[in-house]
PDB file of all heavy atoms in Angstrom:
ATOM      1  N   ILE K 210     142.509 134.745  62.476  1.00  0.00           N
ATOM      2  CA  ILE K 210     142.992 134.426  63.823  1.00  0.00           C
ATOM      3  C   ILE K 210     142.101 135.106  64.868  1.00  0.00           C
ATOM      4  O   ILE K 210     141.770 134.534  65.909  1.00  0.00           O
ATOM      5  CB  ILE K 210     144.468 134.857  63.990  1.00  0.00           C
ATOM      6  CG1 ILE K 210     145.344 134.038  63.031  1.00  0.00           C
ATOM      7  CG2 ILE K 210     144.941 134.663  65.426  1.00  0.00           C
ATOM      8  CD1 ILE K 210     146.770 134.489  62.961  1.00  0.00           C
ATOM      9  N   ARG K 211     141.686 136.321  64.545  1.00  0.00           N
ATOM     10  CA  ARG K 211     140.811 137.071  65.470  1.00  0.00           C
ATOM     11  C   ARG K 211     139.538 136.277  65.739  1.00  0.00           C
ATOM     12  O   ARG K 211     139.086 136.142  66.878  1.00  0.00           O
ATOM     13  CB  ARG K 211     140.478 138.427  64.873  1.00  0.00           C
ATOM     14  CG  ARG K 211     139.723 139.351  65.814  1.00  0.00           C
ATOM     15  CD  ARG K 211     139.514 140.719  65.231  1.00  0.00           C
ATOM     16  NE  ARG K 211     138.474 140.742  64.230  1.00  0.00           N
ATOM     17  CZ  ARG K 211     138.139 141.800  63.502  1.00  0.00           C
ATOM     18  NH1 ARG K 211     138.787 142.925  63.646  1.00  0.00           N
ATOM     19  NH2 ARG K 211     137.184 141.749  62.608  1.00  0.00           N
ATOM     20  N   ARG K 212     138.966 135.743  64.685  1.00  0.00           N
ATOM     21  CA  ARG K 212     137.733 134.965  64.836  1.00  0.00           C
ATOM     22  C   ARG K 212     137.996 133.707  65.661  1.00  0.00           C
ATOM     23  O   ARG K 212     137.191 133.345  66.514  1.00  0.00           O
ATOM     24  CB  ARG K 212     137.209 134.549  63.468  1.00  0.00           C
ATOM     25  CG  ARG K 212     135.858 133.875  63.584  1.00  0.00           C
ATOM     26  CD  ARG K 212     135.156 133.887  62.279  1.00  0.00           C
ATOM     27  NE  ARG K 212     133.806 133.400  62.456  1.00  0.00           N
ATOM     28  CZ  ARG K 212     132.900 133.407  61.508  1.00  0.00           C
ATOM     29  NH1 ARG K 212     133.212 133.897  60.333  1.00  0.00           N
ATOM     30  NH2 ARG K 212     131.708 132.946  61.720  1.00  0.00           N
ATOM     31  N   GLY K 213     139.131 133.076  65.403  1.00  0.00           N
ATOM     32  CA  GLY K 213     139.472 131.871  66.143  1.00  0.00           C
ATOM     33  C   GLY K 213     139.590 132.150  67.639  1.00  0.00           C
ATOM     34  O   GLY K 213     139.090 131.386  68.467  1.00  0.00           O
ATOM     35  N   VAL K 214     140.235 133.275  67.980  1.00  0.00           N
ATOM     36  CA  VAL K 214     140.437 133.635  69.387  1.00  0.00           C
ATOM     37  C   VAL K 214     139.086 133.901  70.056  1.00  0.00           C
ATOM     38  O   VAL K 214     138.791 133.379  71.132  1.00  0.00           O
ATOM     39  CB  VAL K 214     141.369 134.863  69.510  1.00  0.00           C
ATOM     40  CG1 VAL K 214     141.345 135.418  70.918  1.00  0.00           C
ATOM     41  CG2 VAL K 214     142.796 134.495  69.108  1.00  0.00           C
ATOM     42  N   PHE K 215     138.238 134.708  69.412  1.00  0.00           N
ATOM     43  CA  PHE K 215     136.939 135.052  70.018  1.00  0.00           C
ATOM     44  C   PHE K 215     136.012 133.837  70.089  1.00  0.00           C
ATOM     45  O   PHE K 215     135.238 133.694  71.040  1.00  0.00           O
ATOM     46  CB  PHE K 215     136.266 136.195  69.253  1.00  0.00           C
ATOM     47  CG  PHE K 215     136.770 137.546  69.661  1.00  0.00           C
ATOM     48  CD1 PHE K 215     137.541 138.309  68.793  1.00  0.00           C
ATOM     49  CD2 PHE K 215     136.498 138.054  70.920  1.00  0.00           C
ATOM     50  CE1 PHE K 215     138.026 139.549  69.175  1.00  0.00           C
ATOM     51  CE2 PHE K 215     136.980 139.298  71.306  1.00  0.00           C
ATOM     52  CZ  PHE K 215     137.750 140.042  70.438  1.00  0.00           C
ATOM     53  N   ALA K 216     136.123 132.954  69.090  1.00  0.00           N
ATOM     54  CA  ALA K 216     135.278 131.746  69.118  1.00  0.00           C
ATOM     55  C   ALA K 216     135.668 130.854  70.284  1.00  0.00           C
ATOM     56  O   ALA K 216     134.807 130.291  70.970  1.00  0.00           O
ATOM     57  CB  ALA K 216     135.419 130.992  67.796  1.00  0.00           C
ATOM     58  N   LEU K 217     136.966 130.754  70.543  1.00  0.00           N
ATOM     59  CA  LEU K 217     137.438 129.935  71.664  1.00  0.00           C
ATOM     60  C   LEU K 217     137.002 130.540  73.003  1.00  0.00           C
ATOM     61  O   LEU K 217     136.520 129.846  73.901  1.00  0.00           O
ATOM     62  CB  LEU K 217     138.967 129.813  71.606  1.00  0.00           C
ATOM     63  CG  LEU K 217     139.611 128.857  72.608  1.00  0.00           C
ATOM     64  CD1 LEU K 217     139.101 127.442  72.398  1.00  0.00           C
ATOM     65  CD2 LEU K 217     141.125 128.875  72.458  1.00  0.00           C
ATOM     66  N   ILE K 218     137.127 131.871  73.121  1.00  0.00           N
ATOM     67  CA  ILE K 218     136.683 132.557  74.351  1.00  0.00           C
ATOM     68  C   ILE K 218     135.192 132.329  74.548  1.00  0.00           C
ATOM     69  O   ILE K 218     134.728 132.072  75.668  1.00  0.00           O
ATOM     70  CB  ILE K 218     136.991 134.075  74.278  1.00  0.00           C
ATOM     71  CG1 ILE K 218     138.507 134.320  74.297  1.00  0.00           C
ATOM     72  CG2 ILE K 218     136.337 134.822  75.443  1.00  0.00           C
ATOM     73  CD1 ILE K 218     138.900 135.752  74.012  1.00  0.00           C
ATOM     74  N   GLN K 219     134.435 132.373  73.451  1.00  0.00           N
ATOM     75  CA  GLN K 219     132.986 132.201  73.549  1.00  0.00           C
ATOM     76  C   GLN K 219     132.614 130.813  74.047  1.00  0.00           C
ATOM     77  O   GLN K 219     131.721 130.653  74.873  1.00  0.00           O
ATOM     78  CB  GLN K 219     132.349 132.442  72.181  1.00  0.00           C
ATOM     79  CG  GLN K 219     130.839 132.487  72.283  1.00  0.00           C
ATOM     80  CD  GLN K 219     130.211 132.865  70.988  1.00  0.00           C
ATOM     81  OE1 GLN K 219     130.887 132.981  69.981  1.00  0.00           O
ATOM     82  NE2 GLN K 219     128.923 133.054  71.012  1.00  0.00           N
ATOM     83  N   ILE K 220     133.294 129.812  73.543  1.00  0.00           N
ATOM     84  CA  ILE K 220     132.993 128.448  73.977  1.00  0.00           C
ATOM     85  C   ILE K 220     133.307 128.274  75.465  1.00  0.00           C
ATOM     86  O   ILE K 220     132.548 127.642  76.206  1.00  0.00           O
ATOM     87  CB  ILE K 220     133.769 127.425  73.117  1.00  0.00           C
ATOM     88  CG1 ILE K 220     133.209 127.399  71.699  1.00  0.00           C
ATOM     89  CG2 ILE K 220     133.719 126.042  73.723  1.00  0.00           C
ATOM     90  CD1 ILE K 220     131.781 126.909  71.606  1.00  0.00           C
ATOM     91  N   ILE K 221     134.432 128.853  75.910  1.00  0.00           N
ATOM     92  CA  ILE K 221     134.782 128.759  77.339  1.00  0.00           C
ATOM     93  C   ILE K 221     133.735 129.480  78.181  1.00  0.00           C
ATOM     94  O   ILE K 221     133.309 128.984  79.235  1.00  0.00           O
ATOM     95  CB  ILE K 221     136.199 129.333  77.585  1.00  0.00           C
ATOM     96  CG1 ILE K 221     137.246 128.423  76.908  1.00  0.00           C
ATOM     97  CG2 ILE K 221     136.503 129.448  79.073  1.00  0.00           C
ATOM     98  CD1 ILE K 221     138.627 129.013  76.828  1.00  0.00           C
ATOM     99  N   LEU K 222     133.259 130.624  77.685  1.00  0.00           N
ATOM    100  CA  LEU K 222     132.198 131.358  78.400  1.00  0.00           C
ATOM    101  C   LEU K 222     130.906 130.539  78.423  1.00  0.00           C
ATOM    102  O   LEU K 222     130.185 130.544  79.418  1.00  0.00           O
ATOM    103  CB  LEU K 222     131.926 132.707  77.730  1.00  0.00           C
ATOM    104  CG  LEU K 222     132.908 133.833  78.071  1.00  0.00           C
ATOM    105  CD1 LEU K 222     132.591 135.064  77.233  1.00  0.00           C
ATOM    106  CD2 LEU K 222     132.856 134.171  79.552  1.00  0.00           C
ATOM    107  N   ASN K 223     130.611 129.829  77.325  1.00  0.00           N
ATOM    108  CA  ASN K 223     129.423 128.963  77.286  1.00  0.00           C
ATOM    109  C   ASN K 223     129.513 127.893  78.364  1.00  0.00           C
ATOM    110  O   ASN K 223     128.519 127.586  79.031  1.00  0.00           O
ATOM    111  CB  ASN K 223     129.284 128.300  75.917  1.00  0.00           C
ATOM    112  CG  ASN K 223     128.735 129.236  74.859  1.00  0.00           C
ATOM    113  OD1 ASN K 223     128.199 130.295  75.184  1.00  0.00           O
ATOM    114  ND2 ASN K 223     128.864 128.868  73.611  1.00  0.00           N
ATOM    115  N   CYS K 224     130.693 127.316  78.522  1.00  0.00           N
ATOM    116  CA  CYS K 224     130.884 126.297  79.557  1.00  0.00           C
ATOM    117  C   CYS K 224     130.673 126.902  80.951  1.00  0.00           C
ATOM    118  O   CYS K 224     130.011 126.301  81.806  1.00  0.00           O
ATOM    119  CB  CYS K 224     132.283 125.685  79.475  1.00  0.00           C
ATOM    120  SG  CYS K 224     132.511 124.667  78.027  1.00  0.00           S
ATOM    121  N   LEU K 225     131.200 128.088  81.162  1.00  0.00           N
ATOM    122  CA  LEU K 225     131.031 128.763  82.463  1.00  0.00           C
ATOM    123  C   LEU K 225     129.562 129.118  82.681  1.00  0.00           C
ATOM    124  O   LEU K 225     129.070 129.049  83.806  1.00  0.00           O
ATOM    125  CB  LEU K 225     131.892 130.024  82.527  1.00  0.00           C
ATOM    126  CG  LEU K 225     133.402 129.779  82.647  1.00  0.00           C
ATOM    127  CD1 LEU K 225     134.166 131.093  82.526  1.00  0.00           C
ATOM    128  CD2 LEU K 225     133.741 129.094  83.963  1.00  0.00           C
ATOM    129  N   TYR K 226     128.866 129.482  81.624  1.00  0.00           N
ATOM    130  CA  TYR K 226     127.437 129.807  81.702  1.00  0.00           C
ATOM    131  C   TYR K 226     126.648 128.591  82.189  1.00  0.00           C
ATOM    132  O   TYR K 226     125.834 128.681  83.093  1.00  0.00           O
ATOM    133  CB  TYR K 226     126.949 130.265  80.327  1.00  0.00           C
ATOM    134  CG  TYR K 226     125.458 130.450  80.195  1.00  0.00           C
ATOM    135  CD1 TYR K 226     124.830 131.584  80.674  1.00  0.00           C
ATOM    136  CD2 TYR K 226     124.680 129.484  79.566  1.00  0.00           C
ATOM    137  CE1 TYR K 226     123.463 131.766  80.531  1.00  0.00           C
ATOM    138  CE2 TYR K 226     123.321 129.659  79.430  1.00  0.00           C
ATOM    139  CZ  TYR K 226     122.719 130.795  79.904  1.00  0.00           C
ATOM    140  OH  TYR K 226     121.357 130.963  79.764  1.00  0.00           O
ATOM    141  N   ILE K 227     126.952 127.441  81.569  1.00  0.00           N
ATOM    142  CA  ILE K 227     126.255 126.216  81.977  1.00  0.00           C
ATOM    143  C   ILE K 227     126.649 125.850  83.404  1.00  0.00           C
ATOM    144  O   ILE K 227     125.808 125.442  84.216  1.00  0.00           O
ATOM    145  CB  ILE K 227     126.589 125.068  80.996  1.00  0.00           C
ATOM    146  CG1 ILE K 227     125.957 125.359  79.632  1.00  0.00           C
ATOM    147  CG2 ILE K 227     126.084 123.740  81.516  1.00  0.00           C
ATOM    148  CD1 ILE K 227     126.383 124.422  78.551  1.00  0.00           C
ATOM    149  N   TRP K 228     127.921 126.024  83.743  1.00  0.00           N
ATOM    150  CA  TRP K 228     128.378 125.722  85.095  1.00  0.00           C
ATOM    151  C   TRP K 228     127.735 126.656  86.124  1.00  0.00           C
ATOM    152  O   TRP K 228     127.489 126.271  87.267  1.00  0.00           O
ATOM    153  CB  TRP K 228     129.905 125.823  85.159  1.00  0.00           C
ATOM    154  CG  TRP K 228     130.485 125.302  86.422  1.00  0.00           C
ATOM    155  CD1 TRP K 228     131.069 126.027  87.425  1.00  0.00           C
ATOM    156  CD2 TRP K 228     130.531 123.936  86.846  1.00  0.00           C
ATOM    157  NE1 TRP K 228     131.457 125.200  88.444  1.00  0.00           N
ATOM    158  CE2 TRP K 228     131.156 123.920  88.127  1.00  0.00           C
ATOM    159  CE3 TRP K 228     130.122 122.731  86.284  1.00  0.00           C
ATOM    160  CZ2 TRP K 228     131.366 122.738  88.832  1.00  0.00           C
ATOM    161  CZ3 TRP K 228     130.333 121.564  86.994  1.00  0.00           C
ATOM    162  CH2 TRP K 228     130.947 121.581  88.240  1.00  0.00           C
ATOM    163  N   SER K 229     127.406 127.889  85.702  1.00  0.00           N
ATOM    164  CA  SER K 229     126.787 128.844  86.642  1.00  0.00           C
ATOM    165  C   SER K 229     125.398 128.369  87.062  1.00  0.00           C
ATOM    166  O   SER K 229     124.933 128.716  88.145  1.00  0.00           O
ATOM    167  CB  SER K 229     126.695 130.240  86.010  1.00  0.00           C
ATOM    168  OG  SER K 229     125.650 130.282  85.046  1.00  0.00           O
ATOM    169  N   TYR K 230     124.748 127.567  86.233  1.00  0.00           N
ATOM    170  CA  TYR K 230     123.451 127.015  86.635  1.00  0.00           C
ATOM    171  C   TYR K 230     123.625 126.124  87.859  1.00  0.00           C
ATOM    172  O   TYR K 230     122.741 126.013  88.693  1.00  0.00           O
ATOM    173  CB  TYR K 230     122.822 126.203  85.487  1.00  0.00           C
ATOM    174  CG  TYR K 230     122.078 127.040  84.489  1.00  0.00           C
ATOM    175  CD1 TYR K 230     122.636 127.357  83.258  1.00  0.00           C
ATOM    176  CD2 TYR K 230     120.818 127.527  84.775  1.00  0.00           C
ATOM    177  CE1 TYR K 230     121.958 128.130  82.348  1.00  0.00           C
ATOM    178  CE2 TYR K 230     120.133 128.311  83.861  1.00  0.00           C
ATOM    179  CZ  TYR K 230     120.710 128.604  82.648  1.00  0.00           C
ATOM    180  OH  TYR K 230     120.046 129.382  81.741  1.00  0.00           O
ATOM    181  N   LYS K 231     124.812 125.479  87.947  1.00  0.00           N
ATOM    182  CA  LYS K 231     125.050 124.575  89.076  1.00  0.00           C
ATOM    183  C   LYS K 231     125.236 125.377  90.367  1.00  0.00           C
ATOM    184  O   LYS K 231     124.561 125.151  91.351  1.00  0.00           O
ATOM    185  CB  LYS K 231     126.272 123.705  88.804  1.00  0.00           C
ATOM    186  CG  LYS K 231     126.533 122.678  89.906  1.00  0.00           C
ATOM    187  CD  LYS K 231     127.543 121.645  89.485  1.00  0.00           C
ATOM    188  CE  LYS K 231     127.887 120.712  90.630  1.00  0.00           C
ATOM    189  NZ  LYS K 231     126.764 119.936  91.111  1.00  0.00           N
ATOM    190  N   PHE K 232     126.153 126.357  90.369  1.00  0.00           N
ATOM    191  CA  PHE K 232     126.407 127.037  91.650  1.00  0.00           C
ATOM    192  C   PHE K 232     125.377 128.114  91.983  1.00  0.00           C
ATOM    193  O   PHE K 232     125.378 128.636  93.086  1.00  0.00           O
ATOM    194  CB  PHE K 232     127.850 127.576  91.753  1.00  0.00           C
ATOM    195  CG  PHE K 232     128.257 128.593  90.728  1.00  0.00           C
ATOM    196  CD1 PHE K 232     127.796 129.894  90.781  1.00  0.00           C
ATOM    197  CD2 PHE K 232     129.135 128.243  89.719  1.00  0.00           C
ATOM    198  CE1 PHE K 232     128.192 130.835  89.854  1.00  0.00           C
ATOM    199  CE2 PHE K 232     129.543 129.181  88.783  1.00  0.00           C
ATOM    200  CZ  PHE K 232     129.069 130.484  88.851  1.00  0.00           C
ATOM    201  N   SER K 233     124.469 128.408  91.049  1.00  0.00           N
ATOM    202  CA  SER K 233     123.378 129.320  91.411  1.00  0.00           C
ATOM    203  C   SER K 233     122.197 128.551  91.972  1.00  0.00           C
ATOM    204  O   SER K 233     121.216 129.133  92.405  1.00  0.00           O
ATOM    205  CB  SER K 233     122.943 130.130  90.195  1.00  0.00           C
ATOM    206  OG  SER K 233     122.308 129.284  89.267  1.00  0.00           O
ATOM    207  N   GLY K 234     122.290 127.215  91.962  1.00  0.00           N
ATOM    208  CA  GLY K 234     121.229 126.391  92.535  1.00  0.00           C
ATOM    209  C   GLY K 234     120.115 126.033  91.583  1.00  0.00           C
ATOM    210  O   GLY K 234     119.086 125.518  91.997  1.00  0.00           O
ATOM    211  N   ALA K 235     120.321 126.293  90.272  1.00  0.00           N
ATOM    212  CA  ALA K 235     119.249 126.028  89.312  1.00  0.00           C
ATOM    213  C   ALA K 235     119.224 124.566  88.865  1.00  0.00           C
ATOM    214  O   ALA K 235     118.244 124.128  88.286  1.00  0.00           O
ATOM    215  CB  ALA K 235     119.398 126.934  88.094  1.00  0.00           C
ATOM    216  N   LEU K 236     120.292 123.817  89.122  1.00  0.00           N
ATOM    217  CA  LEU K 236     120.328 122.418  88.659  1.00  0.00           C
ATOM    218  C   LEU K 236     119.545 121.507  89.592  1.00  0.00           C
ATOM    219  O   LEU K 236     119.008 120.500  89.174  1.00  0.00           O
ATOM    220  CB  LEU K 236     121.772 121.910  88.572  1.00  0.00           C
ATOM    221  CG  LEU K 236     122.633 122.469  87.453  1.00  0.00           C
ATOM    222  CD1 LEU K 236     123.901 121.640  87.313  1.00  0.00           C
ATOM    223  CD2 LEU K 236     121.892 122.476  86.137  1.00  0.00           C
ATOM    224  N   GLU K 237     119.513 121.821  90.862  1.00  0.00           N
ATOM    225  CA  GLU K 237     118.788 120.999  91.832  1.00  0.00           C
ATOM    226  C   GLU K 237     117.750 121.881  92.486  1.00  0.00           C
ATOM    227  O   GLU K 237     117.920 122.362  93.591  1.00  0.00           O
ATOM    228  CB  GLU K 237     119.753 120.458  92.884  1.00  0.00           C
ATOM    229  CG  GLU K 237     120.796 119.515  92.311  1.00  0.00           C
ATOM    230  CD  GLU K 237     121.820 119.080  93.335  1.00  0.00           C
ATOM    231  OE1 GLU K 237     121.435 118.455  94.318  1.00  0.00           O
ATOM    232  OE2 GLU K 237     123.011 119.394  93.152  1.00  0.00           O
ATOM    233  N   LEU K 238     116.654 122.070  91.765  1.00  0.00           N
ATOM    234  CA  LEU K 238     115.595 122.924  92.276  1.00  0.00           C
ATOM    235  C   LEU K 238     114.754 122.173  93.288  1.00  0.00           C
ATOM    236  O   LEU K 238     114.202 121.133  92.975  1.00  0.00           O
ATOM    237  CB  LEU K 238     114.695 123.374  91.121  1.00  0.00           C
ATOM    238  CG  LEU K 238     115.158 124.569  90.316  1.00  0.00           C
ATOM    239  CD1 LEU K 238     114.225 124.790  89.148  1.00  0.00           C
ATOM    240  CD2 LEU K 238     115.224 125.812  91.159  1.00  0.00           C
ATOM    241  N   ILE K 239     114.707 122.696  94.510  1.00  0.00           N
ATOM    242  CA  ILE K 239     113.830 122.102  95.516  1.00  0.00           C
ATOM    243  C   ILE K 239     112.843 123.189  95.901  1.00  0.00           C
ATOM    244  O   ILE K 239     113.218 124.207  96.487  1.00  0.00           O
ATOM    245  CB  ILE K 239     114.621 121.588  96.722  1.00  0.00           C
ATOM    246  CG1 ILE K 239     115.554 120.462  96.271  1.00  0.00           C
ATOM    247  CG2 ILE K 239     113.693 121.078  97.797  1.00  0.00           C
ATOM    248  CD1 ILE K 239     116.477 119.944  97.342  1.00  0.00           C
ATOM    249  N   LEU K 240     111.597 122.979  95.523  1.00  0.00           N
ATOM    250  CA  LEU K 240     110.591 124.023  95.707  1.00  0.00           C
ATOM    251  C   LEU K 240     109.544 123.577  96.715  1.00  0.00           C
ATOM    252  O   LEU K 240     108.920 122.533  96.519  1.00  0.00           O
ATOM    253  CB  LEU K 240     109.908 124.319  94.372  1.00  0.00           C
ATOM    254  CG  LEU K 240     110.878 124.577  93.217  1.00  0.00           C
ATOM    255  CD1 LEU K 240     110.136 124.543  91.891  1.00  0.00           C
ATOM    256  CD2 LEU K 240     111.544 125.915  93.400  1.00  0.00           C
TER     257      LEU K 240
END
Side-chain angles (χ1 to χ4, degrees):
Chain K
I210 296 172
R211 187 175 76 184
R212 186 161 188 174
V214 168
F215 278 111
L217 187 61
I218 293 171
Q219 189 174 7
I220 290 295
I221 293 168
L222 280 175
N223 283 345
C224 290
L225 288 173
Y226 172 79
I227 291 171
W228 190 250
S229 75
Y230 277 102
K231 183 168 175 62
F232 61 74
S233 69
L236 289 193
E237 296 175 61
L238 277 175
I239 297 175
L240 310 167

